[in-house]
Amino acid sequence: MNTYENAKYSSKIVKQMAPSSVYLVTSGFHMKRSVALFQTFGLNPVLQASDFIDTEITMFPNSYNAAFTFVMLKEVLGIWQVKLYNSLGMNG
Protein backbone atom coordinates (compact mmCIF):
# COMPACT_ATOMS: atom_id res chain seq x y z
CA MET A 1 0.00 0.00 0.00
CA ASN A 2 2.89 2.40 0.74
CA THR A 3 6.65 2.63 1.15
CA TYR A 4 6.55 1.76 4.86
CA GLU A 5 4.65 -1.49 4.22
CA ASN A 6 6.84 -2.29 1.23
CA ALA A 7 9.97 -1.99 3.39
CA LYS A 8 8.44 -3.91 6.29
CA TYR A 9 7.11 -6.87 4.32
CA SER A 10 9.92 -7.00 1.75
CA SER A 11 12.54 -7.14 4.49
CA LYS A 12 11.05 -10.37 5.85
CA ILE A 13 11.15 -12.01 2.42
CA VAL A 14 14.62 -10.71 1.57
CA LYS A 15 16.07 -11.87 4.89
CA GLN A 16 14.72 -15.39 4.25
CA MET A 17 16.17 -15.45 0.72
CA ALA A 18 19.53 -13.97 1.83
CA PRO A 19 20.59 -12.59 -1.57
CA SER A 20 24.05 -11.08 -2.04
CA SER A 21 22.48 -7.70 -2.86
CA VAL A 22 19.11 -6.00 -2.98
CA TYR A 23 18.27 -3.15 -5.33
CA LEU A 24 15.91 -0.35 -4.42
CA VAL A 25 14.42 1.25 -7.53
CA THR A 26 12.32 4.36 -7.03
CA SER A 27 12.09 7.98 -8.12
CA GLY A 28 15.11 10.10 -7.36
CA PHE A 29 13.05 12.49 -5.24
CA HIS A 30 11.68 9.59 -3.19
CA MET A 31 15.00 7.80 -2.69
CA LYS A 32 16.15 9.30 0.61
CA ARG A 33 12.91 8.48 2.47
CA SER A 34 12.76 5.01 0.91
CA VAL A 35 16.33 4.24 1.97
CA ALA A 36 15.60 5.44 5.51
CA LEU A 37 12.63 3.08 5.75
CA PHE A 38 14.44 0.07 4.27
CA GLN A 39 17.37 0.65 6.63
CA THR A 40 14.89 0.80 9.52
CA PHE A 41 14.01 -2.81 8.70
CA GLY A 42 17.64 -3.91 8.42
CA LEU A 43 18.22 -3.75 4.68
CA ASN A 44 21.02 -1.81 2.99
CA PRO A 45 19.91 -1.74 -0.63
CA VAL A 46 21.87 -0.74 -3.69
CA LEU A 47 20.19 2.44 -4.91
CA GLN A 48 18.91 2.87 -8.46
CA ALA A 49 16.89 5.97 -9.30
CA SER A 50 14.25 5.43 -11.95
CA ASP A 51 14.20 9.12 -12.86
CA PHE A 52 15.59 12.49 -11.96
CA ILE A 53 13.40 15.53 -11.85
CA ASP A 54 14.87 18.73 -13.14
CA THR A 55 13.28 22.09 -12.57
CA GLU A 56 14.28 25.28 -14.23
CA ILE A 57 14.94 28.71 -12.84
CA THR A 58 12.41 31.13 -14.26
CA MET A 59 11.69 34.77 -13.80
CA PHE A 60 8.08 34.01 -12.88
CA PRO A 61 6.68 31.07 -10.94
CA ASN A 62 5.32 28.23 -13.02
CA SER A 63 3.03 25.32 -12.21
CA TYR A 64 5.65 22.64 -12.89
CA ASN A 65 8.07 24.02 -10.30
CA ALA A 66 5.22 24.65 -7.84
CA ALA A 67 4.00 21.05 -8.15
CA PHE A 68 7.43 19.59 -7.47
CA THR A 69 8.02 21.98 -4.59
CA PHE A 70 4.96 20.40 -2.96
CA VAL A 71 6.28 16.90 -3.72
CA MET A 72 9.66 17.71 -2.19
CA LEU A 73 8.09 19.22 0.92
CA LYS A 74 6.09 16.02 1.35
CA GLU A 75 9.30 13.98 1.09
CA VAL A 76 11.15 16.18 3.60
CA LEU A 77 8.30 15.83 6.09
CA GLY A 78 8.27 12.09 5.44
CA ILE A 79 11.99 11.82 6.20
CA TRP A 80 11.51 13.73 9.45
CA GLN A 81 8.62 11.41 10.33
CA VAL A 82 10.77 8.30 9.77
CA LYS A 83 13.54 9.72 11.95
CA LEU A 84 11.09 10.74 14.69
CA TYR A 85 9.34 7.37 14.70
CA ASN A 86 12.70 5.56 14.74
CA SER A 87 13.88 7.62 17.71
CA LEU A 88 10.64 6.81 19.56
CA GLY A 89 10.88 3.12 18.65
CA MET A 90 7.62 3.23 16.73
CA ASN A 91 8.93 1.74 13.44
CA GLY A 92 9.66 -1.91 13.14
Side-chain angles (χ1 to χ4, degrees):
M1 297 294 290
N2 56 46
T3 307
Y4 174 85
E5 288 182 356
N6 190 1
K8 181 178 179 179
Y9 300 130
S10 295
S11 68
K12 292 176 185 177
I13 296 168
V14 169
K15 287 175 183 175
Q16 288 176 351
M17 296 173 62
S20 59
S21 60
V22 174
Y23 283 80
L24 175 60
V25 180
T26 190
S27 295
F29 69 87
H30 184 59
M31 188 65 73
K32 190 168 184 174
R33 182 164 60 102
S34 299
V35 170
L37 283 167
F38 276 80
Q39 288 176 340
T40 295
F41 292 100
L43 297 178
N44 290 306
V46 177
L47 310 180
Q48 184 63 52
S50 62
D51 64 358
F52 291 99
I53 295 170
D54 190 20
T55 58
E56 58 185 69
I57 297 174
T58 60
M59 183 167 267
F60 300 102
N62 64 44
S63 60
Y64 181 82
N65 288 352
F68 281 105
T69 298
F70 173 77
V71 169
M72 291 309 301
L73 287 173
K74 178 182 178 281
E75 289 300 315
V76 168
L77 290 174
I79 292 165
W80 290 346
Q81 180 186 27
V82 170
K83 289 180 180 185
L84 175 64
Y85 284 16
N86 283 348
S87 69
L88 297 174
M90 295 173 65
N91 280 336

